[in-house]
Amino acid sequence: MDHDSRALSRGRRTGHVLTGASALFLASYAVRVLANDLPQRWLNLCLAVTVLCWAVFVLDYAMRWRLSGLGLKFVRVHWLDTIVLVLPLLRPLCVVQIHDAMQRGHDRPRLSLHARVAVYAGLSVTLLGFTGALAVYQHEHTAPNASIVTFGDAVWWTCATLATVGYGDVAPVTPMGRTIAVLLMACGLALLGTVTGSFGSWLIQVFMREDEQRPPES
């Protein structure tokens, strides 16, 4: 097995590990937020799983930083990974990297690739919305004069925020809740732009190919 094959194999294994760690991180965090009436030992176990998963993210980041040889430049080049490391609940935003790699690696319209980006973006919105609802519910439901008092309220507010609709019937009142709102609005715009940009790019490429293949008028 050559060096490139070994590197690809390592990359796939690392991807599987990070995917599993992300799922465990989200599950343990959800249990701590939604099932806080559990015995303390179970809540402590969920906290330990959350911290362990975050340690996996830190280790992966540190290894890639060391192997890159970029020094502090790595933080700027891989800015999305840096943000996700600090805020692990934003891991669904890694779909932006998939979109960027697709745009740089293919110059022909292939619907399957663009459709895949749309699917990844949809899944990312779902995961991001769920984590955002968890985070805002955790900080809002016990706050004085809070309008987000149930997890259902948090889900409804998150959907409206990601869609940048902003009905205003429920809204965060705590500083952390409002910070989460700003992040969700920015993420919603970014992911929506990813889908519409990918679809628009595919349409333009298809039309260009049709024009090139059209026989000249006599």
Side-chain angles (χ1 to χ4, degrees):
M1 182 179 295
D2 56 22
H3 176 73
D4 292 339
S5 298
R6 289 195 299 269
L8 180 60
S9 179
R10 285 196 301 269
R12 288 176 177 173
R13 289 197 300 269
T14 302
H16 292 325
V17 170
L18 291 177
T19 300
S22 300
L24 284 175
F25 182 95
L26 181 57
S28 60
Y29 178 65
V31 171
R32 287 175 52 227
V33 172
L34 299 178
N36 50 19
D37 56 344
L38 286 175
Q40 189 61 40
R41 64 178 182 276
W42 291 109
L43 294 177
N44 291 338
L45 177 61
C46 289
L47 178 60
V49 171
T50 303
V51 174
L52 179 62
C53 292
W54 187 74
V56 172
F57 303 150
V58 173
L59 179 62
D60 172 72
Y61 185 88
M63 290 179 61
R64 290 191 293 116
W65 186 345
R66 180 180 179 183
L67 293 174
S68 68
L70 296 175
L72 290 177
K73 187 179 178 182
F74 180 87
V75 177
R76 179 173 58 84
V77 173
H78 299 275
W79 59 271
L80 181 60
D81 292 329
T82 305
I83 293 175
V84 169
L85 178 67
V86 178
L87 302 172
L89 292 178
L90 295 180
R91 289 197 69 83
L93 283 181
C94 289
V95 68
V96 177
Q97 293 177 319
I98 299 172
H99 174 69
D100 181 65
M102 186 201 70
Q103 292 294 331
R104 289 185 286 104
H106 300 277
D107 56 358
R108 299 184 60 187
R110 296 178 60 183
L111 181 58
S112 59
L113 289 173
H114 289 79
R116 190 180 305 170
V117 170
V119 171
Y120 287 163
L123 291 174
S124 295
V125 168
T126 302
L127 291 172
L128 190 62
F130 181 63
T131 56
L134 285 173
V136 79
Y137 172 71
Q138 180 184 21
H139 292 92
E140 289 290 320
H141 74 284
T142 58
N145 302 319
S147 58
I148 302 175
V149 295
T150 67
F151 185 64
D153 293 336
V155 171
W156 167 249
W157 170 84
T158 302
C159 292
T161 302
L162 281 173
T164 65
V165 175
Y167 288 111
D169 51 347
V170 290
V173 297
T174 64
M176 181 57 69
R178 291 174 176 175
T179 301
I180 295 170
V182 172
L183 292 174
L184 284 179
M185 283 185 278
C187 294
L189 289 172
L191 289 170
L192 181 62
T194 297
V195 176
T196 55
S198 177
F199 182 69
S201 174
W202 176 77
L203 284 179
I204 291 173
Q205 292 178 29
V206 169
F207 292 153
M208 290 179 61
R209 290 185 63 192
E210 290 179 351
D211 290 340
E212 292 173 355
Q213 295 173 1
R214 182 179 303 170
E217 297 181 0
S218 58

